[in-house]
Amino acid sequence: MERSLNIIYFAWVRERLGLDQERVALGDGIETISDVLTMLADRGAGYAEIFSDIGKLRFALDQDYGVPGTAIESAQELAIFPPVTGG
Amino acid sequence: MERSLNIIYFAWVRERLGLDQERVALGDGIETISDVLTMLADRGAGYAEIFSDIGKLRFALDQDYGVPGTAIESAQELAIFPPVTGG
Amino acid sequence: MITIQVGEADFDIGAETLAVAGQGGGAIASFVGQVRDDGNLASLELEHYPAMTKKALRKIAEAALSEWPLHAVTIIHRVGKLAVGENIVLVVTGSDHREAAIESCSFIMDRLKTVAPFWKKETRTDGAVKWIEERASDVEASEKWQK
Amino acid sequence: MITIQVGEADFDIGAETLAVAGQGGGAIASFVGQVRDDGNLASLELEHYPAMTKKALRKIAEAALSEWPLHAVTIIHRVGKLAVGENIVLVVTGSDHREAAIESCSFIMDRLKTVAPFWKKETRTDGAVKWIEERASDVEASEKWQK
């Protein structure tokens, strides 16, 4: 069975992609958040611009913060967003 | 003209003296808060007990904090009370 | 007791403070953040990550409860479009001791600013729209609690 | 703007907080002290030095305003007989910055505890009456601001 992941975007990431979420298939070798970002950046100019500068992005895997090296394992949802600015 | 000073007591000082204020004449040589305390302590047992342990007392001269060495000068009111416990 | 609320509705500062006070202790600290009028701000829009927000706020409250002797913690954060002067966030902490109440309230705000998944977009009076960026001072304030 | 109130009347936490917020800024910190039920406390009686109290509180507020960028400071302190759970003191500070609001609120409470001429007498449920003594931790908390 092919692994898949729901990716959810917030704030300017969502606006610049024009997309609030998408489901992606995880091919062989896509093990970490970093691998997913590389896969997204490879999609073309718009994606590359957003996902190649990972210092500007933050990540949550199944609603818990992760870092680029965090393994996806059986997570269902990856959220990608800018640093938070609430309060 | 004889100098005089209104002395005002608070909390347990007031209760133990059974007095909330009194006007005292300031004789020659009564220049500081400390001098007034010595004068009061000399009045007898009840006063002596309260005014000889000045570490337990605090003072305000015309509504500003003073220390035993503070000069009375032309002040009108000396307040004597325990450390404050508001808030 | 932990109370977490996230939504568009405004909150009642007095009622929330008394609710925390009613949980015991005698020292209640609170912080209210409002949309600040800095001259040409028209409004603020608060986006959040619904599936994660309450969980993240609850974790912050639990961290405060494990660090200070608290009777109650309330965190309320609004989302959606807010005009200048409107309430954004309320944190109330109750303890027997004022230091515990005030410090934990400060801790919760510092952590919330850097950990809770909210994003602010501001609209200026000239129509310009901008996502607010993370402030280095907020990151420092949050990190100081980890020492 | 400085607001100082001393009297027997209770205060409205929400209204006082909003009044400070209305003076500008977007960061409002408050502290409420209540008569704490420690098991066998019946009531508290607050005595003060009327001619000096407001002056002493105003000085504390002015010291806060000179140390932090504040838009408003409110200090309300009750006197007279207060039952368990009743409000005693309210401090509210308003600023553009949360650190300034929270720190100045903490400063005002610490100074108030050691400088404002109030004295508390407690009556226990068994009828015992005692003047509360100064706490070393309050003196230390107040002194730390003079560093």
Side-chain angles (χ1 to χ4, degrees), chain D residues 17-146:
Chain D
T17 305
L18 290 177
V20 166
Q23 296 296 309
I28 304 100
S30 81
F31 179 84
V32 180
Q34 298 186 329
V35 182
R36 179 160 65 94
D37 183 3
D38 63 2
N40 63 355
L41 181 66
S43 68
L44 215 54
E45 192 161 345
L46 262 295
E47 180 172 331
H48 75 129
Y49 179 2
M52 181 175 174
T53 315
K54 281 193 162 189
K55 184 175 163 180
L57 294 177
R58 182 166 292 274
K59 262 193 199 174
I60 297 171
E62 284 167 355
L65 276 160
S66 73
E67 186 72 17
W68 289 276
L70 304 175
H71 294 287
V73 174
T74 290
I75 307 176
I76 303 179
H77 203 296
R78 296 178 71 193
V79 294
K81 197 160 184 173
L82 299 174
V84 165
E86 280 200 78
N87 292 325
I88 301 171
V89 61
L90 173 68
V91 172
V92 189
T93 53
S95 175
D96 288 355
H97 312 287
R98 73 180 184 287
E99 300 85 354
I102 294 172
E103 275 186 28
S104 62
C105 185
S106 179
F107 164 83
I108 290 168
M109 277 306 303
D110 285 347
R111 299 295 291 163
L112 185 157
K113 284 256 174 191
T114 54
V115 166
F118 294 99
W119 300 273
K120 282 192 191 115
K121 186 163 75 169
E122 55 183 27
T123 302
R124 294 279 151 192
T125 49
D126 66 2
V129 171
K130 190 168 78 80
W131 287 97
I132 292 182
E133 287 183 25
E134 178 183 51
R135 295 191 314 163
S137 61
D138 286 334
V139 175
E140 282 161 29
S142 182
E143 283 172 353
K144 79 168 187 281
W145 297 103
Q146 290 169 329

